[in-house]
Amino acid sequence: MNGKHDTHDTHDTALRGPAIWALVLTSVAGFMAALDNLVVTTALPAIRKDLGGALEDLEWTVNAYTLTFAVLLLFGAALGDRFGRRRLFMGGLAIFTAASAFAALSPGIDELIAARAVQGVGAAVMMPLTLTLLTAAVPAARRGMALGIFSAVSGLAVASGPLVGGTLTEHISWQWIFWLNVPIGLALIPLARLKLAESTAPNSRLDAPGTLLISGGLFGIVYALVNANAHGWTSAPVLTGLIAGAALVGAFVVHGFRSANPMLPMRLFLNRGFFGINLASLLMYLGMFGSIFLLSQFLQGVAGYSPTQAGVRMLPWTAMPLVVAPIAGILSDRIGGRPVVAVGLALQALGLGWFAAVLSTDVSYAAQLPALIVSGIGMGLYFAPASNILMSTVSPADQGKASGANNALREVGGALGVAVLASVFSAQGGYESPQAFTDGTVPALWIGAAAVAVAAAFALLVPGKRNQTPPVPATAGHTPETGHATASKVPAAG
């Protein structure tokens, strides 16, 4: 069997050595990349005390990572398809690890921002390849369970970022939120070389025009979103970013339909399952990221907890995916991903709405606990089947592109969630007093709940289990990046 092709015995139902190693290595790498989305937030006061800088400088210590991560994800996936997924995975790990060390050693705020941007570059190369490498290594019959474990770890990393950052900052120093990545990265790189199989997409080519269009478009949109609160939604920089970014993304869509070798073939979105799960992912992250951003501050600024205490009290929400997601992965193998994802998103929306209904300046932790538990169960039910659905809607040759697109949409959804919910918060309340903070948080949470409820509706577009077969790649004359080698191995869509 040619090692370049993503094929394996679908009748083999056991997780053997290579699959277990792939699960461990990709899960740990995914944890590091996902953790750095929010790990800095609770360390900002300590960073400002040590390095100085204005409020906008501190915001960019968060946004520089999110921005480069979001705009380069698709390019990272394309590089892996072209030059080897294991090779580029290791390269992304090396960049991420080195940038983490430079962030810890930063003598000033400008150097820290630059290091965070480079961290985002490494994560953008590494992260979309984790799902592709894992999917290639795990037998199809056990893929739901493996992706469930992977997604539980990634989901826990996103949600526990404030807890990890707060604990390290409070008990050691803020530099350790970056030093933590260094020994892990140094251990993963040689293990990846020894334990992961190399693979590429057949006849893959780099799409330079598509790369420039989508990178410029996402840069404009994300830049506008993360600066909207500081400059105002109607300011020239924000409007320019939104309009120019949307125009470039539109051009990228047209390019994806017309080009012979597009980075992201728009034909993938003609698949109902691919379209539905990607829109659901974007809206899920919009509601989740924005809500966690505000609720973690509520627990500290209004309830009076320290960063560590606030993180501990969010564990019924943040730790629940570790328990629920593997079960959800097994369920998705048996009954299909659509009902599991739809129920998970509905529960997440219910949990956020519950928060909005009970929140007040003197709300007890006991009153918040049901909302935390329901939200945690919902998030756990979503993560595992969503990854499995995504990979089941595309052919093996397109899995790198699909993973990059989905991760990019999640990051954009997260940035949009923080920007939109923070704008609602600012319009309805503020930081002046606990009552003002509560007045701003409650309507923002209702917006977050509504976004996740719409995500549940989009999840219903996903075909049922009997119809979840990847489409045959288009003919070689139309999309030569897929190649005839893959077409013969993918069942026709029914």
Side-chain angles (χ1 to χ4, degrees):
M1 183 175 66
N2 191 338
K4 296 272 186 187
H5 289 199
D6 298 327
T7 57
H8 31 167
D9 186 2
T10 56
H11 300 291
D12 183 8
T13 60
L15 278 184
R16 307 197 184 279
I20 293 174
W21 273 110
L23 176 60
V24 171
L25 295 176
T26 58
S27 294
V28 174
F31 182 90
M32 286 199 306
L35 184 71
D36 273 59
N37 269 303
L38 290 174
V39 73
V40 175
T41 54
T42 46
L44 290 177
I47 292 173
R48 184 176 187 181
K49 182 179 178 181
D50 280 1
L51 302 182
L55 179 60
E56 287 187 4
D57 294 323
L58 295 178
E59 290 176 347
W60 272 110
T61 63
V62 178
N63 296 336
Y65 180 83
T66 302
L67 198 58
T68 54
F69 193 8
V71 303
L72 294 175
L73 273 166
L74 285 170
F75 188 53
L79 286 173
D81 286 347
R82 175 67 179 85
F83 297 109
R85 292 158 182 159
R86 182 185 65 185
R87 181 180 295 113
L88 267 294
F89 175 75
M90 292 166 57
L93 261 174
I95 293 171
F96 183 86
T97 303
S100 297
F102 281 115
L105 294 169
S106 297
I109 194 71
D110 292 337
E111 291 83 1
L112 177 60
I113 292 171
R116 288 284 288 164
V118 177
Q119 258 193 318
V121 173
V125 175
M126 170 179 69
M127 192 63 178
L129 300 177
T130 56
L131 274 181
T132 316
L133 289 165
L134 180 59
T135 302
V138 176
R142 310 299 286 178
R143 199 171 291 154
M145 181 183 70
L147 290 173
I149 296 171
F150 173 88
S151 299
V153 174
S154 296
L156 178 66
V158 170
S160 63
L163 170 61
V164 174
T167 301
L168 291 173
T169 300
E170 193 173 327
H171 297 292
I172 309 178
S173 72
W174 66 263
Q175 285 89 347
W176 275 92
I177 65 179
F178 301 114
W179 282 127
L180 181 67
N181 295 327
V182 176
I184 299 175
L186 291 176
L188 287 179
I189 292 170
L191 285 173
R193 175 67 181 85
L194 293 172
K195 300 297 183 180
L196 294 178
E198 184 60 282
S199 67
T200 60
N203 302 320
S204 177
R205 297 185 180 94
L206 292 179
D207 176 15
T211 299
L212 293 174
L213 287 172
I214 193 61
S215 296
L218 289 180
F219 179 87
I221 292 172
V222 176
Y223 178 87
L225 292 175
V226 298
N227 284 283
N229 291 318
H231 300 294
W233 285 96
T234 58
S235 66
V238 171
L239 285 178
T240 301
L242 289 174
I243 294 170
L248 289 171
V249 171
F252 175 75
V253 172
V254 173
H255 174 79
F257 277 115
R258 294 182 175 178
S259 173
N261 300 289
M263 172 190 294
L264 178 60
M266 287 299 137
R267 60 181 167 76
L268 297 180
F269 286 94
L270 300 177
N271 180 292
R272 194 176 73 187
F274 187 84
F275 177 82
I277 198 61
N278 276 289
L279 267 291
S281 295
L282 185 147
L283 291 168
M284 159 65 178
Y285 270 67
L286 189 155
M288 183 188 70
F289 256 74
S291 299
I292 288 178
F293 176 78
L294 289 174
L295 286 171
S296 62
Q297 294 183 73
F298 177 88
L299 290 173
Q300 296 176 58
V302 177
Y305 298 119
S306 71
T308 303
Q309 291 170 334
V312 168
R313 281 160 177 78
M314 290 187 75
L315 282 177
W317 183 1
T318 60
M320 194 65 70
L322 269 183
V323 178
V324 176
I327 300 172
I330 296 172
L331 280 175
S332 73
D333 284 339
R334 294 184 177 179
I335 65 174
R338 179 175 64 182
V340 183
V341 167
V343 169
L345 291 171
L347 288 175
Q348 179 77 80
L350 175 64
L352 293 178
W354 199 322
F355 263 121
V358 303
L359 223 56
S360 66
T361 55
D362 58 352
V363 64
S364 66
Y365 180 68
Q368 299 175 64
L369 190 57
L372 289 164
I373 294 173
V374 170
S375 296
I377 293 173
M379 190 161 65
L381 287 174
Y382 158 81
F383 276 125
S387 298
N388 204 9
I389 288 171
L390 175 74
M391 289 306 188
S392 72
T393 61
V394 297
S395 66
D398 288 327
Q399 285 175 349
K401 297 170 184 175
S403 176
N406 186 257
N407 277 283
L409 286 170
R410 289 181 178 190
E411 290 300 311
V412 172
L416 179 62
V418 171
V420 171
L421 268 62
S423 294
V424 174
F425 167 82
S426 298
Q428 302 296 320
Y431 290 91
E432 296 80 17
S433 67
Q435 186 61 55
F437 195 97
T438 304
D439 291 342
T441 302
V442 169
L445 289 178
W446 281 119
I447 297 294
V452 182
V454 175
F458 273 112
L460 295 177
L461 291 175
V462 174
K465 185 179 181 183
R466 292 182 180 179
N467 297 320
Q468 284 185 12
T469 53
V472 173
T475 62
H478 181 63
T479 54
E481 82 279 1
T482 54
H484 66 277
T486 305
S488 65
K489 297 179 176 63
V490 182

